[in-house]
Amino acid sequence: MQAKPASRPGAPARPSGDGAAAISFALVKGAPDACGPGCDSWIAAEGKIDNSAAARFRKFMKQIGDRKLPIYFNSPGGNLEQALAIGNILREKKASVRVGRTTLQECGLEPQEGEACTRLKQSGRELHGDVWTRGAICNSACPYLILGASSREIAPDVTLAVHSPRVILNFTGGVPSRELRAQAMQRAMERSDKMVLGYMARLGADPGLLTVARSVPFEGMRILTREEIARFALDRRDRVESSWMFEAAARGIVYKTILSRQDGETSFRTMRLQLVCFDQDRFELDVERNAPTGLGGAGLVLASGNAKLNFLWPPRRSGDRETWGVFLNAGQIRALAAAPLVEFGDAGANAARPKLGPFPVASDGLQSALKRLADTCPPSKAVAQPPGAAVPRTQGSSPQAAAQPAP
């Protein structure tokens, strides 16, 4: 009896992954700055890494020529050998890689993952759309291919996850014994590990990523922490900031996520910003962050150009997190969007003037996100108020603060 193990490591563990379409590569054009400052075009790589993915990717890259475009992967994983081959192509091309999901305008009301939209993605046409990070995934074999890129940017609101490879064994000459099957499985896993370790050695990558993956059965999935993403060099940045994005949920929101750590710190801190509207002239900005220590009675200040606004103290607290809120009118919102960045800082409650900390927040994406938010806002309601009065709250909104000039 002859055993012929045929490995197919890295297929996705989630049920939705097994039915995913084969990975497609499409050239997409969006609005100005859709993929970052000065970037309006990108390559969308969407779907499961199948047995011919690397050949199709090489052909696609040859077709687009010397254009240096970021590549956004959104994949549940798939064939490990093909993922490593794609990683080698990325290295050859000195590519810039990110994780994000692309929505195409040409799909209209069709589901983005439906058959009609998938055919569009595989058509080779230049398409039009938007790219999003929240909800995007790069799982199973996908993180390995990311390592091949010269530039790797992993947004703070995407998911990277790993697990042990899946190995399929084919035997000829009869039914193998349990012992023979176990031996064949062990050899196949050793071959898979050797292949990945050789790839990582050529890239100078940390083999700890494979150690983490092998600690999780194929049926499970281990989501990588931000600390692991940095340690395994998937993205070494100590500050990671998403663009401002609009989401049409039950209530339209504009949001942004920032992860950061200071020199010498091992853990990242998370700041989430969320903007909602009550009408065309009344907006609320909420800031959720780790509660700072040693700042008894401190408040939060926002500065944009010559304008400074105080978030009214105290914030809402939940465990080691705190949420601050401030009201803004339409003019203040427009000024916020027009500034290249704003600053947040802590201020002592009894200070004559607040001392801003060096915490700049970029405004990229804010103008287009605000335009989409404004389209969902009801008309303004004129409300007579004395100067300096707090903007009245809408029922159900969070009890936070009105916009107040900083002293």
Side-chain angles (χ1 to χ4, degrees), residues 166-225:
R166 179 184 182 187
V167 175
I168 296 176
L169 300 175
N170 296 319
F171 291 87
T172 61
V175 179
S177 65
R178 181 179 298 180
E179 182 180 0
L180 182 58
R181 180 177 289 276
Q183 291 173 353
M185 179 67 73
Q186 182 177 354
R187 288 195 298 271
M189 294 298 288
E190 288 173 352
R191 173 181 173 273
S192 172
D193 289 352
K194 183 178 180 180
M195 179 173 60
V196 174
L197 289 172
Y199 170 80
M200 288 183 158
R202 290 192 298 275
L203 298 177
D206 188 338
L209 177 60
L210 178 61
T211 303
V212 171
R214 294 286 274 113
S215 70
V216 184
F218 170 76
E219 294 76 15
M221 194 71 81
R222 161 73 180 279
I223 296 176
L224 298 177
T225 66

Side-chain angles (χ1 to χ4, degrees), residues 138-363:
C138 178
N139 294 346
S140 189
C142 181
Y144 296 116
L145 70 82
I146 294 289
L147 286 170
S150 297
S151 172
R152 302 180 290 276
E153 297 181 4
I154 308 301
D157 47 4
V158 305
T159 297
L160 270 62
V162 294
H163 58 183
S164 289
R166 179 184 182 187
V167 175
I168 296 176
L169 300 175
N170 296 319
F171 291 87
T172 61
V175 179
S177 65
R178 181 179 298 180
E179 182 180 0
L180 182 58
R181 180 177 289 276
Q183 291 173 353
M185 179 67 73
Q186 182 177 354
R187 288 195 298 271
M189 294 298 288
E190 288 173 352
R191 173 181 173 273
S192 172
D193 289 352
K194 183 178 180 180
M195 179 173 60
V196 174
L197 289 172
Y199 170 80
M200 288 183 158
R202 290 192 298 275
L203 298 177
D206 188 338
L209 177 60
L210 178 61
T211 303
V212 171
R214 294 286 274 113
S215 70
V216 184
F218 170 76
E219 294 76 15
M221 194 71 81
R222 161 73 180 279
I223 296 176
L224 298 177
T225 66
R226 194 72 211 187
E227 290 75 18
E228 289 172 330
I229 288 173
R231 175 154 54 95
F232 301 142
L234 289 157
D235 186 339
R236 290 188 180 277
R237 293 177 295 170
D238 287 328
R239 179 183 169 91
V240 186
E241 188 171 338
S242 72
S243 298
W244 290 91
M245 304 291 288
F246 170 77
E247 185 171 303
R251 180 184 189 185
I253 61 170
V254 173
Y255 63 89
K256 183 184 187 71
T257 305
I258 303 170
L259 300 177
S260 62
R261 64 180 178 183
Q262 302 297 324
D263 291 342
E265 292 182 338
T266 57
S267 299
F268 283 83
R269 301 185 183 191
T270 303
M271 175 183 279
R272 296 187 178 92
L273 297 91
Q274 179 173 295
L275 184 67
V276 298
C277 69
F278 303 114
D279 59 39
Q280 294 283 341
D281 195 50
R282 296 188 302 159
F283 299 81
E284 181 183 348
L285 174 65
D286 283 343
V287 177
E288 179 197 337
R289 65 174 187 174
N290 295 88
T293 57
L295 291 172
L300 186 66
V301 175
L302 179 152
S304 175
N306 295 323
K308 294 183 177 68
L309 298 172
N310 279 333
F311 290 74
L312 198 62
W313 188 89
R316 298 196 309 273
R317 291 183 181 269
S318 177
D320 63 349
R321 304 286 293 173
E322 63 181 19
T323 302
W324 300 79
V326 64
F327 279 115
L328 301 164
N329 60 36
Q332 291 168 321
I333 282 290
R334 287 193 293 269
L336 187 70
L341 57 83
V342 297
E343 280 190 308
F344 290 90
D346 292 297
N350 298 319
R353 291 189 63 83
K355 181 181 179 182
L356 285 173
F359 200 92
V361 175
S363 299

Side-chain angles (χ1 to χ4, degrees), residues 2 57 106 123 127 150 220 244 260 294 347:
Q2 182 181 8
F57 182 58
E106 286 84 352
S123 67
L127 302 168
S150 297
W244 290 91
S260 62

